[in-house]
DNA sequence: GGAAAAGCGTGCGCAGCGCACGCTAATCTG
DNA sequence: CAGATTAGCGTGCGCTGCGCACGCTTTTCC
């Protein structure tokens, strides 16, 4: 066997990975949103939006970062007023990280930017193709070929 | 407008980006291929396979890395015998980086690993869906929604 | 033929990361 | 119920990787 669909997809995935590193994409999505928001801090913001108020350790597990790294990135975001630290009423040791309204607004903005970028790339596509692609991509992601170690 | 196909795709892209950072993927693909080959050095190897023998500056532009970073990563790969430095016969200043046979073998191996991982994720898919996905993904990538700055 | 530009490697300062420590609070155990 | 272990937190510290700037050689341009 010298050919497979996997090979075709790998060929397409190569350029995708090359041109849109997570860092590149996040850099672009967070442009102009203030000094505290960049490709490093954005995953904290976005993860927090997904999980709701969360301890640094839990959030670290969620987004695949060391606990202390989360702490320090959260420091920057806290100074910028995008998240707050709250004592956990059910556990005196824990400190919950929670988005402020401003923090939420940032996440909404970046998500709109991403959707808009994708829409503009798909503007010339037949709607049926675009929807088929969305559906297939979601299934591909759910089938999880590249699950990292921390899951 | 509170819904768009771009939004659907963004929702699927999120988990994909979260779970398969380039670093994670490259780490997995290069596992056990020797000390010199890791997520940092692999782009140099793979880029060189794409371009053929190339100067460090050109290769840096190709893969979006600083010239000096390429030089140092190439040092590691050279020590491991995966690439060679050759004087450029047409330009006395330049030093060409070129894959050795061993280096080529590494790239072939990782590409097979990637294709195999994708095939296994798609194993349960109807072949028509898999091929449609490959086609649509390629078109999506070619339409380039996320072109980085260095292009 | 001399000046500007382009190539290379290396020194150096900076940033980010993970580990380890000390501390407090919760949980387990006898 | 008290002592010990576990789990949470922030911070200090060493390591690594990066980009800039320098000095050097070779090519290109006037």
């Amino acid at each position: 066997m010298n050919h497979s669909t996997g090979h075709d997809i790998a060929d397409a995935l190569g350029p995708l990975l090359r041109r849109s590193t997570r860092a590149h994409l996040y850099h672009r999505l967070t442009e102009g949103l203030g000094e505290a928001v960049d490709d490093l801090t954005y995953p904290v913001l976005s993860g927090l939006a997904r999980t709701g108020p969360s301890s640094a350790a839990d959030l670290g597990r969620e987004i695949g970062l060391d606990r202390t790294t989360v702490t320090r990135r959260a420091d920057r975001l806290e100074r910028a007023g995008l998240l707050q630290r709250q004592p956990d009423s059910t556990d005196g040791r824990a400190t919950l990280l929670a988005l402020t309204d401003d923090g939420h607004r940032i996440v909404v903005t970046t998500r709109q930017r991403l959707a808009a970028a994708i829409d503009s790339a798909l503007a010339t596509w037949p709607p049926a193709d675009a929807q088929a692609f969305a559906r297939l991509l979601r299934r591909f992601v759910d089938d999880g070929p590249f699950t990292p170690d921390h899951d």
Side-chain angles (χ1 to χ4, degrees), chain A residues 9 13 136-148:
Chain A
I9 294 181
L13 227 42
L136 293 170
L137 179 62
R138 167 158 297 281
R139 191 178 351 153
F140 181 68
V141 170
D142 290 344
D143 286 355
F146 305 125
T147 312

Side-chain angles (χ1 to χ4, degrees), chain A residues 26 29-31 33 37 42 45-46 105-116:
Chain A
Y26 285 179
L29 289 180
T30 59
E31 231 159 22
L33 296 181
V37 184
Y42 180 64
L45 235 40
S46 144
R105 270 188 283 272
I106 296 284
V107 173
V108 169
T109 300
T110 57
R111 288 187 176 168
Q112 284 173 348
R113 286 183 180 184
L114 178 59

Side-chain angles (χ1 to χ4, degrees), chain A residues 38-110:
Chain A
D38 59 14
D39 53 306
L40 293 181
T41 54
Y42 180 64
V44 172
L45 235 40
S46 144
L48 222 41
R50 221 177 322 125
T51 63
S54 164
S55 74
D58 284 346
L59 186 57
R61 274 186 282 272
E62 166 74 17
I63 62 183
L65 254 45
D66 187 86
R67 178 182 65 82
T68 63
T69 299
V70 172
T71 293
R72 277 182 262 241
R73 294 187 184 183
D75 288 344
R76 290 179 53 195
L77 293 169
E78 188 180 27
R79 272 194 296 273
L82 302 180
L83 69 77
Q84 272 185 329
R85 285 184 157 87
Q86 315 170 340
D88 183 342
S89 56
T90 74
D91 186 336
R93 300 167 295 182
T95 305
L96 292 180
L97 306 175
L99 290 184
T100 62
D101 289 347
D102 281 353
H104 259 295
R105 270 188 283 272
I106 296 284
V107 173
V108 169
T109 300
T110 57

